[in-house]
Amino acid sequence: MTRTEKRAAVGLALIFALRMLGLFMILPVFALFAGELEGATPKLVGLAIGAYGFTQALLQIPFGLLSDRIGRKTVIAAGLLLFAAGSVVAAAAHDIWQVIAGRALQGSGAIAAAIMALAADLTREEQRTKVMAMIGMSIGLAFAASMVAGPVVGHWLGLSGLFWTTAALAVLGLIILVTVVPTPAVVRFHRDAEVQPARFTSVLTNADLLRLDFGILCLHAILTATFIAVPLALKQYAGLPPLRHSYVYLPVMAASILLMVPLVIAAEKRRKMKAVFLTAIGLIALAQLGLLRYHTELAGIVAGLLVFFTGFNLLEALLPSLISKTAPVDLKGTAMGVYSSSQFFGAFLGGALGGWVHEHYGLAAVFAACAALAGLWGLVALGMKPPRPVSSLLLHVEVSDRRQAQQLAHKLRKLPGVVEAVVVPEEGVAYLKIDKQRVNRERLEALVARFAPPSPEPQPMES
């Protein structure tokens, strides 16, 4: 990657990670500290945990579209300020309703789509996958770190201190945006990273994509509901004070990442994607049944969490890959936009419904409800077609008109290993799906060469 691309990748990954760290630090401890808030009930505690998901799901696509009009960095900066403001509202809260309002305001700073669009503006087509992968890794690391940092920060600073910490993280993200992330010379539309509103119907009527959207909704609903119950079980039944919850989460997260690696290899390299995918859903269901039976014992909670996070981390890796393989080649950005909104709406539902179940039926019923939801998800996923073993590839081309673009796309589709090809003359990009084991890259590049001028480094303006 060029210097500009490296700065963009590192800066945007850090901003995304800091925001996610702030959002998720509350997850493993809020149920423990919520009792100090006036008016707190299990139902409202769950609503407070998941409130950010509703506003995030509602606003992330509109904010992404707005960034096309007023600039990516302007939208990202505004989103970080909204996130900081929500954190301050929650930090100053004395009752549960103020915290719910603060969490909803945090989620209204929905910058995910704008960050992805800015990453696309600042990278060449052939380097974009690397940058997106770095951002994706930063999200995973931030989530793992939040599970460990939340109990530590909560122990030393309390609930208010947790929210003040998230406000500070938002300010740090704003500083990185201004000082590290380049400003693109030109803002362009990118079909692989942005939503096309006119083509929502194509995504929303695709049964395979809808199965995956339902899957990510279920996964994050189960995650949020689980952490309404698990912290309380660790305190009430295992007798662990909040600080020692980190001693549980740290080894569990580390071990689960190690356990998922061979399964990811089996899915991607050995082309066992559907089998591994269904296995991961089974692990989620098994973990919830284990927690239902053994949540009164420390060993049972630890074992249940290990199985859960192995399945969770595996699904977090597989689901975006499945979206990319399943979506039409020129609709990946639109499909990912709907997928991300489903993910955040799932977090909202998990908090709201998990809190309601806890209030009316008790702690064990939360695990039972999560197991039932995982079982329903498994039944829905059974009908999924085995995904084709394809990868996305973007190539910079120069064609003069639509007729020439169609001719190039037709020739590309005739090459062995090229499964789909769409050439968009307005963007100067060929969007491809390829089978890496069959495609001849030399023939592919030779065909494109006469259409593709040298790719210059994206030139940033002064930040």
Side-chain angles (χ1 to χ4, degrees), residues 78-312:
L80 289 170
L81 289 172
L82 284 170
F83 180 73
S87 301
V88 171
V89 168
H94 298 291
D95 65 65
I96 189 68
W97 288 106
Q98 286 179 272
V99 173
I100 292 171
R103 288 286 280 174
L105 188 55
Q106 280 185 324
S108 70
I111 58 174
I115 286 180
M116 293 302 184
L118 180 56
D121 284 335
L122 291 169
T123 55
R124 294 165 294 164
E125 290 81 5
E126 58 269 27
Q127 297 296 330
R128 197 168 298 158
T129 301
K130 296 179 185 177
V131 176
M132 298 300 184
M134 288 179 66
I135 293 173
M137 288 176 60
S138 74
I139 297 170
L141 291 173
F143 175 76
S146 71
M147 298 302 296
V148 178
V152 175
V153 176
H155 171 77
W156 291 108
L157 302 180
L159 184 60
S160 177
L162 266 170
F163 284 116
W164 283 117
T165 301
T166 64
L169 292 173
V171 173
L172 179 56
L174 193 59
I175 293 170
I176 292 170
L177 178 69
V178 172
T179 61
V180 177
V181 179
T183 299
V186 179
V187 173
R188 296 186 177 91
F189 181 81
H190 309 275
R191 292 167 188 251
D192 61 315
E194 296 184 69
V195 166
Q196 303 174 65
R199 301 189 66 186
F200 270 132
T201 302
S202 299
V203 170
L204 295 175
T205 56
N206 185 312
D208 289 321
L209 287 176
L210 289 176
R211 283 191 181 92
L212 298 174
D213 295 334
F214 179 71
I216 194 63
L217 183 149
C218 290
L219 183 62
H220 279 260
I222 292 169
L223 171 71
T224 309
T226 296
F227 277 89
I228 291 172
V230 162
L232 295 174
L234 285 171
K235 180 181 179 181
Q236 293 175 11
Y237 299 113
L240 293 183
L243 179 62
R244 293 193 177 182
H245 290 203
S246 293
Y247 303 166
V248 173
Y249 298 136
L250 179 59
V252 162
M253 292 298 294
S256 67
I257 291 171
L258 292 176
L259 289 172
M260 68 167 264
V261 170
L263 293 171
V264 171
I265 293 172
E268 295 285 0
K269 301 296 184 182
R270 299 179 185 175
R271 302 190 170 185
K272 302 289 186 183
M273 181 67 79
K274 183 175 180 179
V276 173
F277 181 64
L278 293 174
T279 298
I281 298 173
L283 290 175
I284 296 292
L286 179 64
Q288 296 300 324
L289 291 172
L291 288 168
L292 172 63
R293 174 65 179 83
Y294 297 106
H295 68 274
T296 58
E297 304 171 21
L298 178 59
I301 297 172
V302 171
L305 287 175
L306 178 60
V307 175
F308 175 78
F309 278 116
T310 301
F312 177 84

